Amino acid sequence: MTHLHEKSPCCQGLVRRFGGRRRQCVVCKKTWSVWQRKQGRKRRRISPSLLFQYFAGKYIPSTPTERARLRIALKKYNDTVSWSDIPDDPLIAVADGMIEYIDKEVHTIYFILLRPLNGIKAIIIEPFCLPGQETPDGWKQAFAHLVPRVREQIVAIVCDGHRAFAGLSDQYGWIVQRCHFHLFARIGHNASFRSATTRTGLLGRIILRLARIVTTTRDPNALQEALKELEFHKCTVRSRTFKTVLSGFLHNYEDYRTYLDYPLLYLPTTSNSAEHLIGCLRRMQYKARGFSSLPALLAWIKGWCKHQKTITCRGKNQQH
C-alpha cells in the first residue's frame, strides 16, 4: 500500500511535526502553525440576567464598558428570543401609537396588543414603525403586517377613536370600542374645572356628567335624555374645538357603548393597557437619557416587549 505524505506549501518537501500545533519543511526548515487559534483574550460571556436587571430597574450601567456589555446582551437576546405565540382563539385587539422625534424627524411606532376573549393578559406583538405622524394609512400597514391567520381571529378592536379604525372595522368586519378615558380627557382639556363658578367650568362639569351617562347607562330613556341635553349644550359652547369634540361624540356615541351590546366579549372600555406599555417604554427612555438613533430605539423597545411578553388587560366585566 502506498503511503501519501503531506507536502510543504513552500518547497513541496516532506513535512515533520515541530511541536504540538506546528509543522516544519525538511527542505527549507520553514515552520508554520496548523489549526490557527483565535488571537486575543477569550470573550467574556454576558448573561441575559444583566439585561433583565436593567429592565427591572435594579441595574444602571455607569461606565462605557458596562453599557457596551448591556448592548451586546440586548443584541444576543433579540437575535435568539422569538415573539410570543398567538393562541388559536378569537382575539380582542388594543391599539395605540407612540410618537418619537429622532434627528429632527417624526416617527410613529404602532403598538397592537392581542387578548383572548376570556383572558386577562394581552400578548405584545412586534411593533411597527413608520416615518411621519400617526395616519390611517399607517394603521392599515400595521394591521396588514400581521399574519393573515391572526388578523382573521380578531373580532373587536379597542382604540382611542382615531379615524383610521372606522375604515379598518369596515374592511375587516371588526367591532369597535372607543376609549372612555380619551373622551373624558378631551372634554377636560377643553373645559376648565379649576373654578366651579366660571361659565366654562360649570358647563364642562355638566357635559362630563352627561357623557358618563351616555357611556354607561343601560336605560334607553336616560340615554335619550342625555343625548338631547348634549345637543343643546353643544349649541351654547363657544370654543370651536370643543364643538368638534362634542359633535364627534354625538355622532359616534354607539362606539362607546359597544361593551354593553356585547357583554360576552368582555371588552375593556379603555386602551389603558397600551397606554401602560407606552408609559413603561417612556420611563426606560428617561432612564437611558434617550437613544441616539432609530435602530437603537427600536432594538430596546423590541427587547423590552419580548421580555415583558404580556400586559394585563381586563374587560369591563372582569374587574374582580
Side-chain angles (χ1 to χ4, degrees):
M1 180 177 179
T2 304
H3 295 279
L4 298 178
H5 297 279
E6 183 182 5
K7 301 297 188 296
S8 65
C10 52
C11 305
Q12 295 299 312
L14 293 178
V15 176
R16 70 182 184 89
R17 291 181 177 273
F18 195 77
R21 298 176 62 248
R22 295 189 71 82
R23 301 292 183 266
Q24 185 184 48
C25 175
V26 298
V27 178
C28 65
K29 307 302 182 182
K30 182 178 180 180
T31 64
W32 64 91
S33 296
V34 294
W35 311 311
Q36 290 286 343
R37 181 179 294 174
K38 187 175 181 180
Q39 296 182 355
R41 66 177 180 85
K42 292 184 179 180
R43 179 172 293 182
R44 181 176 178 178
R45 292 183 179 179
I46 300 176
S47 172
S49 61
L50 190 72
L51 185 65
F52 301 158
Q53 292 177 13
Y54 178 76
F55 286 149
K58 299 179 181 178
Y59 169 74
I60 298 177
S62 58
T63 64
T65 302
E66 292 179 350
R67 288 191 286 270
R69 290 174 182 169
L70 201 60
R71 288 193 296 269
I72 294 172
L74 174 68
K75 185 179 184 306
K76 183 178 180 181
Y77 185 76
N78 283 339
D79 292 342
T80 57
V81 177
S82 59
W83 293 91
S84 301
D85 295 330
I86 308 298
D88 297 329
D89 299 322
L91 300 171
I92 303 296
V94 183
D96 204 355
M98 176 180 174
I99 308 296
E100 282 297 322
Y101 292 87
I102 297 180
D103 294 334
K104 299 181 180 180
E105 294 183 359
V106 183
H107 293 82
T108 301
I109 305 174
Y110 298 87
F111 292 97
I112 302 174
L113 310 180
L114 299 176
R115 194 210 76 188
L117 293 187
N118 296 325
I120 61 172
K121 294 291 185 179
I123 301 171
I124 306 173
I125 66 172
E126 184 176 2
F128 187 75
C129 181
L130 285 175
Q133 295 285 348
E134 184 179 2
T135 61
D137 184 63
W139 277 115
K140 288 181 180 179
Q141 293 186 50
F143 278 98
H145 192 65
L146 294 177
V147 179
R149 175 188 66 85
V150 175
R151 199 164 53 242
E152 293 173 358
Q153 292 175 231
I154 299 176
V155 296
I157 182 170
V158 182
C159 58
D160 58 359
H162 196 278
R163 64 182 185 275
F165 298 106
L168 287 171
S169 64
D170 295 337
Q171 180 180 355
Y172 297 110
W174 296 338
I175 300 169
V176 177
Q177 169 64 54
R178 298 200 180 205
C179 178
H180 292 186
F181 174 79
H182 284 84
L183 169 66
F184 300 148
R186 284 192 289 267
I187 294 175
H189 179 74
N190 289 277
S192 176
F193 298 142
R194 293 183 179 180
S195 176
T197 58
T198 61
R199 178 184 179 278
T200 307
L202 291 172
L203 184 59
R205 293 175 188 276
I206 293 173
I207 292 176
L208 183 61
R209 178 181 59 83
L210 294 173
R212 293 187 186 277
I213 293 174
V214 172
T215 55
T216 59
T217 185
R218 297 178 183 271
D219 185 0
N221 295 328
L223 174 62
Q224 294 302 321
E225 289 295 330
L227 291 174
K228 290 180 181 179
E229 289 190 48
L230 282 174
E231 283 284 359
F232 171 76
H233 290 299
K234 186 188 72 171
C235 299
T236 63
V237 170
R238 299 172 182 174
S239 171
R240 182 179 300 179
T241 305
F242 202 0
K243 281 189 176 183
T244 303
V245 172
L246 293 179
S247 298
F249 173 55
L250 290 171
H251 185 263
N252 301 292
Y253 74 92
E254 293 180 348
D255 291 343
Y256 294 92
R257 297 171 50 83
T258 307
Y259 75 101
L260 297 174
D261 299 331
Y262 299 91
L264 296 180
L265 297 182
Y266 300 105
L267 292 172
T269 56
T270 65
S271 58
N272 285 353
S273 54
E275 293 284 349
H276 174 69
L277 168 63
I278 294 175
C280 292
L281 296 175
R282 294 289 190 194
R283 286 191 291 271
M284 183 182 68
Q285 283 183 280
Y286 177 78
K287 183 171 59 176
R289 299 180 181 179
F291 298 99
S292 59
S293 63
L294 182 63
L297 172 63
L298 294 178
W300 281 103
I301 288 177
K302 290 179 180 179
W304 190 94
C305 292
K306 284 184 177 182
H307 174 63
Q308 185 68 25
K309 293 183 177 62
T310 60
I311 295 288
T312 301
C313 179
R314 299 180 185 270
K316 186 65 175 179
N317 300 325
Q318 295 175 307
Q319 299 301 319
H320 302 290

